[in-house]
Amino acid sequence: MHYTKPALTFEDQLGLLRARGLTVRDPERALRWLTSVNYYRLSAYFLPFKEGENFRPGSDFNDIAGLYIFDRKLRLLMLDAIERIEVAIRTAVTYEIAHTYGPFGHTEPANFSSDFKHERFMDDLNTEERRARETFTKHFREKYGEDPCLPVWMATELLSFGTVSKLYQSLQPKLRQRIARPYGVDAKFLISWLHVLTYIRNVCAHHKRLWNRHLAIRPKIPSKKVITPLTIPDTGRLYAVVVVVRYLMTVISPHSLWQDRLTGLLAEHPDVSLAAMGFPCADRFSIPVRPAC
């Protein structure tokens, strides 16, 4: 079977939506949307309003736009929290390596687990240094030309969150546990969370749909009610990640208003399905939020 669908003009795209039963109250606004948001990207947000190929009676383009706007705000909110978590973990990893092994402890393969691809790590680090062209690296090279590598507190500033996550996972067990201790969980959970947050960060950074996403990577959740007194119905949905983020934020930034901003976003978009994100039909985070079902 060959793909035979032709490319449609923006006007034809709008006509197709109308022909399939979508109410469009403001055609000019809808056209502006179609010219700035790819039809295929937007079509992911059609699904809650469709039955087969056609839209359910009463479906409105403004509702689809509202869902898209909600998802964009949700991505930005998640990125804001993940940025703070990333910086905190980066700081902890840097501190432990520097104080346990010295300024160049990251350059010694023996300081990491045997399955850590240390040579590739150093190659990636050197590539990032050449690509970044940071002022601090240039200054170090000019002043300390005899040292082949950057000290760890400079090196880790060049690493991606994914690499920092792998670096933490590859530390010796006692260092992993020391970093995890302030969060009140075993290192295996923190490793899992950082892996998931790296994935979610990439989803958000590339502007992909987050709202009703099935997670390709699921967070491990302690069996004891360590991070939430509530049941997480499905760890493959966003709610599980939200719970983890909220928990980490209470340690990293106890006075943060991130949770309140999340609550406000949910209240601002009362028509968005919380069940699609895996929120339970209960009071979340011990704060009054509308039921998910």
Side-chain angles (χ1 to χ4, degrees):
M1 183 175 180
H2 296 285
Y3 189 86
T4 59
K5 293 182 180 180
L8 300 179
T9 65
F10 295 126
E11 290 77 12
D12 287 343
Q13 292 172 15
L14 181 58
L16 179 61
L17 292 176
R18 282 176 147 172
R20 290 180 173 175
L22 184 65
T23 298
V24 182
R25 303 177 190 277
D26 187 343
E28 290 187 6
R29 178 173 185 259
L31 275 175
R32 285 197 301 272
W33 267 82
L34 292 172
T35 57
S36 59
V37 181
N38 184 289
Y39 181 99
Y40 187 75
R41 173 185 290 271
L42 195 60
S43 67
Y45 301 89
F46 297 167
L47 297 180
F49 306 95
K50 295 184 76 174
E51 292 176 351
E53 287 296 315
N54 295 320
F55 289 92
R56 295 197 308 270
S59 297
D60 194 299
F61 185 88
N62 290 335
D63 295 329
I64 294 171
L67 180 56
Y68 185 91
I69 290 169
F70 166 81
D71 196 40
R72 185 179 65 212
K73 291 178 180 177
L74 180 64
R75 290 195 301 269
L76 292 173
L77 190 61
M78 293 298 290
L79 275 175
D80 177 64
I82 291 172
E83 181 265 339
R84 281 184 271 186
I85 295 167
E86 174 185 345
V87 170
I89 296 299
R90 190 186 300 269
T91 300
V93 169
T94 301
Y95 185 91
E96 293 300 336
I97 291 176
H99 285 265
T100 304
Y101 304 118
F104 300 99
H106 61 296
T107 66
E108 294 295 333
N111 295 337
F112 300 91
S113 60
S114 59
D115 59 348
F116 182 52
K117 295 179 174 57
H118 187 268
E119 185 175 350
R120 180 185 297 178
F121 163 72
M122 292 302 299
D123 288 342
D124 291 345
L125 179 57
N126 291 332
T127 298
E128 289 300 324
E129 180 183 349
R130 290 192 299 270
R131 182 185 301 163
R133 301 183 183 278
E134 294 281 1
T135 302
F136 68 83
T137 62
K138 181 180 178 182
H139 173 74
F140 180 84
R141 292 303 181 197
E142 290 175 349
K143 189 171 183 178
Y144 304 101
E146 295 183 4
D147 290 301
C149 300
L150 297 172
V152 65
W153 46 81
M154 294 185 188
T156 52
E157 288 300 310
L158 302 176
L159 303 178
S160 68
F161 188 23
T163 303
V164 172
S165 173
K166 291 177 183 177
L167 197 62
Y168 170 66
Q169 182 178 355
S170 302
L171 291 175
Q172 297 297 334
K174 64 177 181 179
L175 267 66
R176 292 201 303 262
Q177 290 299 123
R178 197 179 297 165
I179 292 171
R181 191 174 299 129
Y183 300 101
V185 295
D186 187 86
K188 67 181 180 181
F189 294 108
L190 188 56
I191 289 170
S192 168
W193 296 350
L194 295 181
H195 191 193
V196 172
L197 292 182
T198 300
Y199 161 62
I200 293 296
R201 183 200 175 281
N202 290 338
V203 168
C204 295
H206 292 93
H207 324 299
K208 296 180 180 179
R209 175 178 46 80
L210 183 62
W211 155 68
N212 66 342
R213 177 174 290 274
H214 289 273
L215 303 183
I217 304 169
R218 300 183 175 206
K220 292 181 180 179
I221 303 297
S223 56
K224 295 181 179 180
K225 301 299 183 181
V226 176
I227 68 172
T228 175
L230 305 172
T231 300
I232 297 176
D234 183 357
T235 57
R237 291 290 190 167
L238 185 64
Y239 175 71
V241 182
V242 169
V243 169
V244 166
V245 167
R246 172 188 172 270
Y247 177 77
L248 292 174
M249 287 289 286
T250 60
V251 177
I252 293 167
S253 183
H255 303 293
S256 169
L257 298 178
W258 185 84
Q259 175 181 302
D260 295 335
R261 291 164 60 201
L262 174 62
T263 305
L265 177 62
L266 299 179
E268 185 182 343
H269 295 267
D271 296 328
V272 170
S273 170
L274 300 185
M277 296 183 285
F279 278 68
C281 301
D283 178 58
R284 270 88 69 206
F285 317 141
S286 300
I287 54 177
V289 183
R290 57 193 170 88
C293 59

